[in-house]
Amino acid sequence: MENCLQSKSIYHQLCDNHPEIPLFLQAWWVEMVCLGKDWDVILIRNHSGDIVAFMPYLLVKKWGFRMVLQPLLSQTNGVWIFYNGNESDDEKIVLDKMVADALEKELERLNLDWYFQYFHPQSSIPDILRERGFLVSSRQTFVIPDISDEKKLMNSFSSAKQRQIRKAIRNNLRVDFTMNPEDFVLFHTACLNQKGENNFHAPEVEISLCREAINRSQGAIISVLDNENHLHSALFFVWDTSTAYYLIPAIDSNYRSSGASSLMVWEAIKMVRNRVKRFDFEGSMDENIARSYKQFGTERVEYAKVERVNSIFIRLLKIIKGTM
């Protein structure tokens, strides 16, 4: 078995050779969101020694517990399997079972008190892990499945969203793509503070992630301003080869009714519509937020939350909080 440095080096090479790997599973992304933290990757090989799957993970050691937890700013994590596209259904089942066996063995080796990750919507591994005693529940995101046709897309928006966009344009709000990561993080934090909330992302992580994504041409910051240069809203959004993600929105509460937030979405989609097919709003279990996303003509997409709790203390704590 490879040591940590070897595994990470191989993982980076895999991602360089497979651009189809989803954004949140790409090595550079994991490295950024786990900046300054203990992370590694499990490489799963077949009997011939070929890598058939991998799973990056964030290892947290806190209060005497060992935990694999979902990194912040990442919709999904979990296992990614390299299918060659020629497998029969039976061959896929055999491969999935082999990967699940290897994953379970590696998780046992890590001697965890709590394991918790979100899996990509395409993954079939959560169903296998559920049969083996893992806790599997459903999460949701909201996705515009095809952003290629501007006219069709605008017509799919609710009348309320269309009115907001027209209002923003009528009031001469303008979009700008030159905001730097440092200013964006300051604005994002200020918008959260307006609502009495804290920014749980470390500033250096948020700034480094923005900068790296922009340098890789896999991310951008869009801002919306008025004629007096008052900043109404801003968004850090990212993309891979198939999907763009509405990652970190920031909306000044003083301008919530200006239409800036809807214009921001519309202009972000227009920017990436020739790069990717889909636009993912990153979902929410909050009904009010979900209702807003639905007004952009989205479809609900489910993905799996997978857990295994080995610590009696953590189990009791989760029961008390109603999360188990």
Side-chain angles (χ1 to χ4, degrees):
M1 182 176 177
E2 294 87 4
N3 63 37
C4 179
L5 291 178
Q6 288 175 326
S7 296
K8 289 182 178 180
S9 177
I10 294 170
Y11 174 39
H12 274 279
Q13 292 172 19
L14 280 173
C15 292
D16 289 341
N17 294 330
H18 291 274
E20 77 278 6
I21 292 172
L23 177 67
F24 304 121
L25 284 163
Q26 291 177 13
W28 73 267
W29 182 273
V30 175
E31 200 164 63
M32 288 293 102
V33 297
C34 296
L35 192 67
K37 298 178 181 178
D38 188 3
W39 73 275
D40 204 346
V41 59
I42 295 170
L43 303 175
I44 299 174
R45 300 177 182 270
N46 61 17
H47 297 302
S48 301
D50 301 318
I51 295 174
V52 295
F54 67 85
M55 190 190 83
Y57 63 90
L58 169 64
L59 182 62
V60 177
K61 301 173 185 176
K62 197 170 185 179
W63 305 310
F65 297 112
R66 288 174 58 86
M67 303 170 285
V68 164
L69 303 180
Q70 180 70 19
L72 293 175
L73 295 167
S74 300
Q75 182 190 97
T76 56
N77 212 221
V79 178
W80 183 255
I81 301 176
F82 293 106
Y83 299 108
N84 60 33
N86 299 317
E87 299 96 343
S88 66
D89 289 342
D90 288 342
E91 287 172 334
K92 277 191 173 182
I93 291 172
V94 171
L95 177 57
D96 289 350
K97 184 179 181 301
M98 186 269 285
V99 169
D101 288 343
L103 172 61
E104 193 168 14
K105 183 177 180 181
E106 287 299 307
L107 291 178
E108 289 176 359
R109 182 184 63 81
L110 288 172
N111 192 29
L112 301 173
D113 295 289
W114 183 22
Y115 166 76
F116 157 44
Q117 284 185 314
Y118 296 132
F119 278 59
H120 192 273
Q122 295 177 11
S123 180
S124 56
I125 298 301
D127 290 334
I128 299 175
L129 296 180
R130 180 189 282 112
E131 296 173 356
R132 301 182 180 190
F134 284 74
L135 302 173
V136 180
S137 55
S138 180
R139 302 282 297 179
Q140 63 182 11
T141 184
F142 294 90
V143 177
I144 302 175
D146 186 351
I147 62 173
S148 60
D149 187 324
E150 278 191 31
K151 184 176 180 181
K152 183 178 179 181
L153 182 59
M154 177 60 80
N155 289 336
S156 72
F157 290 2
S158 71
S159 58
K161 293 298 181 186
Q162 292 184 42
R163 282 196 304 272
Q164 289 167 10
I165 293 170
R166 289 195 298 268
K167 178 181 180 181
I169 295 172
R170 188 170 60 250
N171 290 334
N172 296 316
L173 296 188
R174 59 183 174 84
V175 297
D176 183 85
F177 288 91
T178 63
M179 190 177 200
N180 65 53
E182 290 80 6
D183 287 342
F184 172 77
V185 172
L186 287 173
F187 180 65
H188 176 220
T189 302
C191 290
L192 289 172
N193 292 342
Q194 279 182 331
K195 300 185 293 183
E197 300 175 7
N198 295 318
N199 189 349
F200 292 109
H201 311 147
E204 61 272 19
V205 171
E206 206 168 299
I207 290 169
S208 297
L209 183 62
C210 289
R211 187 178 294 120
E212 184 69 14
I214 292 169
N215 288 342
R216 287 176 169 270
S217 296
Q218 284 190 257
I221 298 170
I222 182 173
S223 56
V224 180
L225 306 95
D226 59 27
N227 285 335
E228 297 180 351
N229 281 330
H230 295 140
L231 183 57
H232 288 222
S233 64
L235 169 69
F236 171 51
F237 61 111
V238 291
W239 56 86
D240 51 30
T241 57
S242 66
T243 306
Y245 301 89
Y246 179 85
L247 192 68
I248 308 178
I251 302 166
D252 190 321
S253 298
N254 296 311
Y255 303 108
R256 188 163 292 278
S257 62
S258 71
S261 59
S262 295
L263 178 65
M264 179 174 71
V265 170
W266 176 236
E267 293 294 337
I269 290 173
K270 287 200 297 183
M271 177 190 168
V272 296
R273 73 179 188 85
N274 292 321
R275 297 173 183 256
V276 300
K277 182 179 181 181
R278 309 178 343 141
F279 193 88
D280 188 333
F281 281 89
E282 282 280 275
S284 177
M285 303 306 285
D286 183 297
E287 189 55 40
N288 290 328
I289 297 175
R291 190 179 302 112
S292 177
Y293 292 162
K294 290 175 185 176
Q295 292 184 61
F296 286 104
T298 59
E299 296 178 358
R300 187 177 71 170
V301 175
E302 294 188 350
Y303 58 99
K305 175 183 178 181
V306 180
E307 294 182 89
R308 171 165 277 180
V309 183
N310 297 318
S311 163
I312 294 176
F313 179 81
I314 294 177
R315 184 180 293 271
L316 289 173
L317 189 63
K318 287 175 67 63
I319 290 173
I320 291 170
K321 289 186 174 182
T323 59
M324 188 170 183

Short mmCIF file of all heavy atoms in Angstrom, two decimals, residues 157-207:
data_model
loop_
_atom_site.label_atom_id
_atom_site.label_comp_id
_atom_site.label_asym_id
_atom_site.label_seq_id
_atom_site.Cartn_x
_atom_site.Cartn_y
_atom_site.Cartn_z
N PHE A 157 -37.62 30.50 -16.18
CA PHE A 157 -37.60 31.20 -14.90
C PHE A 157 -39.04 31.60 -14.54
O PHE A 157 -39.87 31.86 -15.41
CB PHE A 157 -36.75 32.46 -14.97
CG PHE A 157 -35.26 32.23 -15.08
CD1 PHE A 157 -34.74 30.95 -15.14
CD2 PHE A 157 -34.38 33.30 -15.11
CE1 PHE A 157 -33.37 30.73 -15.25
CE2 PHE A 157 -33.02 33.11 -15.22
CZ PHE A 157 -32.51 31.82 -15.29
N SER A 158 -39.32 31.69 -13.26
CA SER A 158 -40.63 32.15 -12.83
C SER A 158 -40.83 33.60 -13.24
O SER A 158 -39.86 34.34 -13.48
CB SER A 158 -40.77 32.01 -11.31
OG SER A 158 -39.96 32.97 -10.66
N SER A 159 -42.07 34.05 -13.29
CA SER A 159 -42.34 35.45 -13.65
C SER A 159 -41.71 36.39 -12.63
O SER A 159 -41.25 37.48 -12.99
CB SER A 159 -43.85 35.68 -13.73
OG SER A 159 -44.49 35.35 -12.50
N ALA A 160 -41.64 35.97 -11.37
CA ALA A 160 -41.02 36.81 -10.34
C ALA A 160 -39.53 37.01 -10.61
O ALA A 160 -39.01 38.13 -10.50
CB ALA A 160 -41.23 36.19 -8.96
N LYS A 161 -38.83 35.94 -10.96
CA LYS A 161 -37.40 36.06 -11.26
C LYS A 161 -37.17 36.90 -12.51
O LYS A 161 -36.23 37.71 -12.56
CB LYS A 161 -36.78 34.67 -11.44
CG LYS A 161 -36.74 33.83 -10.17
CD LYS A 161 -35.89 34.47 -9.09
CE LYS A 161 -35.83 33.60 -7.83
NZ LYS A 161 -35.13 34.27 -6.72
N GLN A 162 -38.01 36.73 -13.52
CA GLN A 162 -37.87 37.54 -14.72
C GLN A 162 -38.08 39.03 -14.41
O GLN A 162 -37.35 39.89 -14.92
CB GLN A 162 -38.87 37.08 -15.78
CG GLN A 162 -38.58 35.69 -16.32
CD GLN A 162 -39.52 35.30 -17.44
OE1 GLN A 162 -39.85 36.10 -18.31
NE2 GLN A 162 -39.98 34.05 -17.43
N ARG A 163 -39.07 39.34 -13.57
CA ARG A 163 -39.31 40.73 -13.19
C ARG A 163 -38.11 41.32 -12.46
O ARG A 163 -37.73 42.48 -12.66
CB ARG A 163 -40.56 40.84 -12.31
CG ARG A 163 -41.87 40.76 -13.07
CD ARG A 163 -43.04 41.26 -12.22
NE ARG A 163 -43.15 40.55 -10.94
CZ ARG A 163 -43.83 39.43 -10.77
NH1 ARG A 163 -44.48 38.87 -11.80
NH2 ARG A 163 -43.91 38.86 -9.59
N GLN A 164 -37.51 40.51 -11.57
CA GLN A 164 -36.36 40.99 -10.81
C GLN A 164 -35.18 41.31 -11.72
O GLN A 164 -34.48 42.32 -11.53
CB GLN A 164 -35.95 39.95 -9.77
CG GLN A 164 -36.94 39.81 -8.62
CD GLN A 164 -36.69 38.57 -7.78
OE1 GLN A 164 -35.66 37.90 -7.93
NE2 GLN A 164 -37.63 38.25 -6.90
N ILE A 165 -34.97 40.48 -12.73
CA ILE A 165 -33.88 40.72 -13.67
C ILE A 165 -34.15 41.99 -14.48
O ILE A 165 -33.25 42.83 -14.66
CB ILE A 165 -33.69 39.51 -14.59
CG1 ILE A 165 -33.18 38.31 -13.76
CG2 ILE A 165 -32.71 39.82 -15.73
CD1 ILE A 165 -33.18 37.00 -14.51
N ARG A 166 -35.39 42.14 -14.95
CA ARG A 166 -35.74 43.35 -15.71
C ARG A 166 -35.60 44.60 -14.84
O ARG A 166 -35.14 45.66 -15.30
CB ARG A 166 -37.16 43.24 -16.26
CG ARG A 166 -37.32 42.23 -17.40
CD ARG A 166 -38.64 42.43 -18.12
NE ARG A 166 -39.79 42.21 -17.24
CZ ARG A 166 -40.41 41.05 -17.09
NH1 ARG A 166 -39.98 39.98 -17.77
NH2 ARG A 166 -41.45 40.94 -16.28
N LYS A 167 -35.98 44.49 -13.57
CA LYS A 167 -35.86 45.63 -12.65
C LYS A 167 -34.41 46.03 -12.47
O LYS A 167 -34.07 47.23 -12.48
CB LYS A 167 -36.48 45.25 -11.30
CG LYS A 167 -36.38 46.34 -10.24
CD LYS A 167 -36.99 45.89 -8.93
CE LYS A 167 -36.89 46.96 -7.86
NZ LYS A 167 -37.47 46.50 -6.56
N ALA A 168 -33.54 45.04 -12.29
CA ALA A 168 -32.11 45.33 -12.10
C ALA A 168 -31.53 46.02 -13.33
O ALA A 168 -30.75 46.98 -13.22
CB ALA A 168 -31.36 44.04 -11.81
N ILE A 169 -31.92 45.54 -14.51
CA ILE A 169 -31.43 46.15 -15.75
C ILE A 169 -31.99 47.56 -15.91
O ILE A 169 -31.27 48.49 -16.29
CB ILE A 169 -31.80 45.26 -16.95
CG1 ILE A 169 -31.07 43.91 -16.86
CG2 ILE A 169 -31.47 45.97 -18.26
CD1 ILE A 169 -31.51 42.89 -17.89
N ARG A 170 -33.26 47.73 -15.61
CA ARG A 170 -33.91 49.04 -15.74
C ARG A 170 -33.27 50.07 -14.81
O ARG A 170 -33.17 51.26 -15.14
CB ARG A 170 -35.41 48.90 -15.41
CG ARG A 170 -36.25 50.14 -15.70
CD ARG A 170 -37.74 49.85 -15.58
NE ARG A 170 -38.11 49.37 -14.26
CZ ARG A 170 -38.50 48.12 -13.99
NH1 ARG A 170 -38.57 47.22 -14.97
NH2 ARG A 170 -38.85 47.77 -12.75
N ASN A 171 -32.80 49.60 -13.64
CA ASN A 171 -32.16 50.50 -12.68
C ASN A 171 -30.65 50.64 -12.90
O ASN A 171 -29.92 51.14 -12.04
CB ASN A 171 -32.42 50.00 -11.25
CG ASN A 171 -33.88 50.18 -10.84
OD1 ASN A 171 -34.59 51.04 -11.36
ND2 ASN A 171 -34.34 49.35 -9.92
N ASN A 172 -30.21 50.18 -14.07
CA ASN A 172 -28.81 50.34 -14.50
C ASN A 172 -27.80 49.65 -13.59
O ASN A 172 -26.67 50.14 -13.45
CB ASN A 172 -28.46 51.84 -14.63
CG ASN A 172 -29.26 52.54 -15.71
OD1 ASN A 172 -29.43 52.01 -16.80
ND2 ASN A 172 -29.75 53.73 -15.40
N LEU A 173 -28.22 48.55 -12.97
CA LEU A 173 -27.23 47.75 -12.24
C LEU A 173 -26.31 47.10 -13.26
O LEU A 173 -26.73 46.67 -14.33
CB LEU A 173 -27.91 46.68 -11.39
CG LEU A 173 -28.83 47.17 -10.26
CD1 LEU A 173 -29.27 46.00 -9.38
CD2 LEU A 173 -28.14 48.23 -9.41
N ARG A 174 -25.04 47.04 -12.93
CA ARG A 174 -24.06 46.48 -13.86
C ARG A 174 -23.28 45.35 -13.21
O ARG A 174 -23.10 45.32 -11.99
CB ARG A 174 -23.10 47.57 -14.35
CG ARG A 174 -22.32 48.25 -13.23
CD ARG A 174 -21.44 49.37 -13.77
NE ARG A 174 -20.80 50.11 -12.69
CZ ARG A 174 -19.67 49.74 -12.08
NH1 ARG A 174 -19.06 48.63 -12.48
NH2 ARG A 174 -19.17 50.46 -11.11
N VAL A 175 -22.84 44.43 -14.03
CA VAL A 175 -22.06 43.29 -13.53
C VAL A 175 -20.59 43.52 -13.83
O VAL A 175 -20.23 44.18 -14.81
CB VAL A 175 -22.53 41.96 -14.15
CG1 VAL A 175 -23.96 41.67 -13.76
CG2 VAL A 175 -22.38 41.98 -15.66
N ASP A 176 -19.77 42.98 -12.95
CA ASP A 176 -18.33 43.17 -13.06
C ASP A 176 -17.66 41.85 -12.68
O ASP A 176 -18.12 41.14 -11.78
CB ASP A 176 -17.88 44.30 -12.13
CG ASP A 176 -16.40 44.59 -12.26
OD1 ASP A 176 -16.03 45.37 -13.16
OD2 ASP A 176 -15.62 44.03 -11.47
N PHE A 177 -16.57 41.51 -13.37
CA PHE A 177 -15.86 40.26 -13.09
C PHE A 177 -14.44 40.50 -12.60
O PHE A 177 -13.59 39.62 -12.68
CB PHE A 177 -15.82 39.39 -14.35
CG PHE A 177 -17.15 38.77 -14.71
CD1 PHE A 177 -18.02 39.41 -15.56
CD2 PHE A 177 -17.51 37.54 -14.18
CE1 PHE A 177 -19.24 38.85 -15.89
CE2 PHE A 177 -18.73 36.96 -14.50
CZ PHE A 177 -19.60 37.61 -15.36
N THR A 178 -14.17 41.69 -12.06
CA THR A 178 -12.80 42.04 -11.66
C THR A 178 -12.58 42.05 -10.15
O THR A 178 -11.49 42.38 -9.69
CB THR A 178 -12.41 43.41 -12.24
OG1 THR A 178 -13.27 44.42 -11.68
CG2 THR A 178 -12.53 43.42 -13.75
N MET A 179 -13.59 41.72 -9.38
CA MET A 179 -13.45 41.74 -7.92
C MET A 179 -12.39 40.72 -7.50
O MET A 179 -12.37 39.57 -7.96
CB MET A 179 -14.78 41.40 -7.27
CG MET A 179 -14.82 41.63 -5.77
SD MET A 179 -16.48 41.27 -5.10
CE MET A 179 -16.42 42.17 -3.55
N ASN A 180 -11.46 41.13 -6.61
CA ASN A 180 -10.42 40.20 -6.19
C ASN A 180 -10.89 39.34 -5.02
O ASN A 180 -11.86 39.69 -4.33
CB ASN A 180 -9.12 40.95 -5.87
CG ASN A 180 -9.25 41.87 -4.66
OD1 ASN A 180 -9.69 41.46 -3.59
ND2 ASN A 180 -8.85 43.13 -4.83
N PRO A 181 -10.25 38.19 -4.79
CA PRO A 181 -10.69 37.27 -3.74
C PRO A 181 -10.73 37.89 -2.35
O PRO A 181 -11.63 37.60 -1.56
CB PRO A 181 -9.67 36.13 -3.82
CG PRO A 181 -9.22 36.13 -5.24
CD PRO A 181 -9.19 37.59 -5.63
N GLU A 182 -9.74 38.74 -2.04
CA GLU A 182 -9.71 39.35 -0.70
C GLU A 182 -10.94 40.23 -0.46
O GLU A 182 -11.57 40.16 0.61
CB GLU A 182 -8.43 40.17 -0.54
CG GLU A 182 -7.14 39.36 -0.46
CD GLU A 182 -6.63 38.90 -1.83
OE1 GLU A 182 -7.22 39.30 -2.87
OE2 GLU A 182 -5.65 38.14 -1.86
N ASP A 183 -11.28 41.05 -1.45
CA ASP A 183 -12.45 41.92 -1.30
C ASP A 183 -13.73 41.11 -1.26
O ASP A 183 -14.68 41.47 -0.55
CB ASP A 183 -12.50 42.93 -2.45
CG ASP A 183 -11.44 44.02 -2.32
OD1 ASP A 183 -10.90 44.19 -1.22
OD2 ASP A 183 -11.15 44.68 -3.34
N PHE A 184 -13.77 40.03 -2.04
CA PHE A 184 -14.96 39.19 -2.02
C PHE A 184 -15.18 38.58 -0.64
O PHE A 184 -16.31 38.57 -0.12
CB PHE A 184 -14.85 38.06 -3.06
CG PHE A 184 -15.98 37.06 -2.95
CD1 PHE A 184 -17.24 37.36 -3.45
CD2 PHE A 184 -15.79 35.84 -2.30
CE1 PHE A 184 -18.29 36.45 -3.32
CE2 PHE A 184 -16.82 34.94 -2.16
CZ PHE A 184 -18.08 35.25 -2.68
N VAL A 185 -14.12 38.07 -0.02
CA VAL A 185 -14.25 37.44 1.29
C VAL A 185 -14.69 38.46 2.34
O VAL A 185 -15.52 38.17 3.20
CB VAL A 185 -12.93 36.75 1.70
CG1 VAL A 185 -13.00 36.27 3.14
CG2 VAL A 185 -12.65 35.57 0.76
N LEU A 186 -14.16 39.68 2.27
CA LEU A 186 -14.59 40.73 3.19
C LEU A 186 -16.07 41.03 3.01
O LEU A 186 -16.81 41.19 3.99
CB LEU A 186 -13.76 42.00 2.96
CG LEU A 186 -12.30 41.98 3.43
CD1 LEU A 186 -11.58 43.24 2.98
CD2 LEU A 186 -12.23 41.84 4.95
N PHE A 187 -16.52 41.12 1.75
CA PHE A 187 -17.92 41.40 1.48
C PHE A 187 -18.81 40.24 1.93
O PHE A 187 -19.86 40.46 2.55
CB PHE A 187 -18.11 41.67 -0.01
CG PHE A 187 -19.53 41.97 -0.41
CD1 PHE A 187 -20.17 43.11 0.05
CD2 PHE A 187 -20.23 41.11 -1.25
CE1 PHE A 187 -21.49 43.39 -0.31
CE2 PHE A 187 -21.54 41.37 -1.62
CZ PHE A 187 -22.17 42.52 -1.15
N HIS A 188 -18.40 39.02 1.64
CA HIS A 188 -19.16 37.84 2.06
C HIS A 188 -19.32 37.81 3.57
O HIS A 188 -20.42 37.58 4.10
CB HIS A 188 -18.44 36.57 1.57
CG HIS A 188 -19.07 35.30 2.01
ND1 HIS A 188 -18.34 34.20 2.42
CD2 HIS A 188 -20.38 34.94 2.13
CE1 HIS A 188 -19.17 33.23 2.75
NE2 HIS A 188 -20.40 33.65 2.59
N THR A 189 -18.24 38.05 4.29
CA THR A 189 -18.29 38.04 5.75
C THR A 189 -19.20 39.15 6.28
O THR A 189 -19.99 38.94 7.21
CB THR A 189 -16.88 38.20 6.33
OG1 THR A 189 -16.05 37.13 5.84
CG2 THR A 189 -16.90 38.16 7.85
N ALA A 190 -19.12 40.33 5.67
CA ALA A 190 -19.97 41.47 6.10
C ALA A 190 -21.44 41.15 5.87
O ALA A 190 -22.29 41.49 6.70
CB ALA A 190 -19.57 42.73 5.34
N CYS A 191 -21.77 40.50 4.75
CA CYS A 191 -23.16 40.15 4.47
C CYS A 191 -23.69 39.13 5.47
O CYS A 191 -24.85 39.19 5.90
CB CYS A 191 -23.29 39.60 3.05
SG CYS A 191 -23.04 40.84 1.76
N LEU A 192 -22.84 38.19 5.87
CA LEU A 192 -23.25 37.22 6.89
C LEU A 192 -23.46 37.92 8.23
O LEU A 192 -24.43 37.63 8.95
CB LEU A 192 -22.19 36.12 7.03
CG LEU A 192 -22.08 35.14 5.86
CD1 LEU A 192 -20.86 34.23 6.05
CD2 LEU A 192 -23.34 34.28 5.75
N ASN A 193 -22.57 38.82 8.58
CA ASN A 193 -22.69 39.54 9.85
C ASN A 193 -23.97 40.37 9.91
O ASN A 193 -24.55 40.56 10.98
CB ASN A 193 -21.47 40.45 10.06
CG ASN A 193 -20.20 39.65 10.31
OD1 ASN A 193 -20.24 38.47 10.65
ND2 ASN A 193 -19.06 40.29 10.13
N GLN A 194 -24.41 40.88 8.75
CA GLN A 194 -25.67 41.62 8.70
C GLN A 194 -26.83 40.77 9.22
O GLN A 194 -27.77 41.27 9.82
CB GLN A 194 -25.99 42.04 7.26
CG GLN A 194 -25.29 43.28 6.77
CD GLN A 194 -25.72 43.62 5.35
OE1 GLN A 194 -26.08 42.75 4.56
NE2 GLN A 194 -25.69 44.90 5.02
N LYS A 195 -26.75 39.47 8.96
CA LYS A 195 -27.82 38.53 9.35
C LYS A 195 -27.55 37.90 10.71
O LYS A 195 -28.27 36.99 11.12
CB LYS A 195 -27.96 37.44 8.29
CG LYS A 195 -28.31 37.97 6.91
CD LYS A 195 -28.56 36.84 5.93
CE LYS A 195 -27.31 36.04 5.64
NZ LYS A 195 -27.54 34.99 4.62
N GLY A 196 -26.50 38.37 11.39
CA GLY A 196 -26.16 37.81 12.69
C GLY A 196 -25.47 36.47 12.58
O GLY A 196 -25.48 35.67 13.54
N GLU A 197 -24.86 36.18 11.42
CA GLU A 197 -24.19 34.91 11.21
C GLU A 197 -22.69 35.12 11.09
O GLU A 197 -22.22 36.23 10.79
CB GLU A 197 -24.72 34.24 9.94
CG GLU A 197 -26.22 33.94 9.97
CD GLU A 197 -26.73 33.39 8.66
OE1 GLU A 197 -25.88 33.10 7.77
OE2 GLU A 197 -27.96 33.24 8.50
N ASN A 198 -21.94 34.05 11.31
CA ASN A 198 -20.49 34.09 11.16
C ASN A 198 -20.08 33.36 9.89
O ASN A 198 -20.79 32.47 9.41
CB ASN A 198 -19.80 33.44 12.37
CG ASN A 198 -20.04 34.21 13.65
OD1 ASN A 198 -19.99 35.44 13.66
ND2 ASN A 198 -20.31 33.50 14.73
N ASN A 199 -18.94 33.72 9.37
CA ASN A 199 -18.36 33.01 8.24
C ASN A 199 -17.55 31.84 8.79
O ASN A 199 -16.51 32.04 9.41
CB ASN A 199 -17.48 33.94 7.41
CG ASN A 199 -17.04 33.31 6.10
OD1 ASN A 199 -17.22 32.12 5.88
ND2 ASN A 199 -16.46 34.11 5.22
N PHE A 200 -18.05 30.63 8.57
CA PHE A 200 -17.37 29.45 9.11
C PHE A 200 -16.18 29.03 8.28
O PHE A 200 -15.43 28.13 8.66
CB PHE A 200 -18.36 28.28 9.24
CG PHE A 200 -19.41 28.51 10.29
CD1 PHE A 200 -20.72 28.76 9.93
CD2 PHE A 200 -19.08 28.48 11.63
CE1 PHE A 200 -21.70 28.98 10.90
CE2 PHE A 200 -20.04 28.70 12.61
CZ PHE A 200 -21.35 28.94 12.24
N HIS A 201 -16.00 29.65 7.10
CA HIS A 201 -14.85 29.34 6.28
C HIS A 201 -13.67 30.20 6.71
O HIS A 201 -13.81 31.42 6.85
CB HIS A 201 -15.14 29.62 4.80
CG HIS A 201 -16.43 29.03 4.32
ND1 HIS A 201 -17.21 29.63 3.36
CD2 HIS A 201 -17.06 27.88 4.66
CE1 HIS A 201 -18.27 28.88 3.13
NE2 HIS A 201 -18.21 27.82 3.91
N ALA A 202 -12.54 29.59 6.94
CA ALA A 202 -11.35 30.37 7.28
C ALA A 202 -11.03 31.30 6.11
O ALA A 202 -11.04 30.86 4.95
CB ALA A 202 -10.17 29.44 7.55
N PRO A 203 -10.77 32.58 6.37
CA PRO A 203 -10.51 33.53 5.27
C PRO A 203 -9.42 33.06 4.32
O PRO A 203 -9.55 33.20 3.10
CB PRO A 203 -10.10 34.81 6.00
CG PRO A 203 -10.74 34.70 7.35
CD PRO A 203 -10.72 33.24 7.69
N GLU A 204 -8.34 32.48 4.88
CA GLU A 204 -7.24 32.06 4.01
C GLU A 204 -7.66 30.92 3.09
O GLU A 204 -7.19 30.81 1.95
CB GLU A 204 -6.01 31.66 4.83
CG GLU A 204 -6.21 30.49 5.79
CD GLU A 204 -6.72 30.89 7.16
OE1 GLU A 204 -7.26 32.01 7.28
OE2 GLU A 204 -6.56 30.08 8.09
N VAL A 205 -8.58 30.07 3.56
CA VAL A 205 -9.07 28.97 2.72
C VAL A 205 -9.95 29.52 1.60
O VAL A 205 -9.80 29.15 0.43
CB VAL A 205 -9.86 27.94 3.57
CG1 VAL A 205 -10.55 26.92 2.67
CG2 VAL A 205 -8.94 27.24 4.55
N GLU A 206 -10.87 30.41 1.96
CA GLU A 206 -11.77 30.98 0.97
C GLU A 206 -10.99 31.77 -0.08
O GLU A 206 -11.25 31.65 -1.29
CB GLU A 206 -12.79 31.88 1.67
CG GLU A 206 -14.10 32.04 0.94
CD GLU A 206 -15.17 32.70 1.79
OE1 GLU A 206 -15.53 32.13 2.85
OE2 GLU A 206 -15.63 33.79 1.40
N ILE A 207 -10.03 32.55 0.36
CA ILE A 207 -9.22 33.35 -0.57
C ILE A 207 -8.39 32.44 -1.48
O ILE A 207 -8.34 32.63 -2.71
CB ILE A 207 -8.31 34.32 0.20
CG1 ILE A 207 -9.14 35.42 0.86
CG2 ILE A 207 -7.25 34.93 -0.72
CD1 ILE A 207 -8.36 36.27 1.85
#
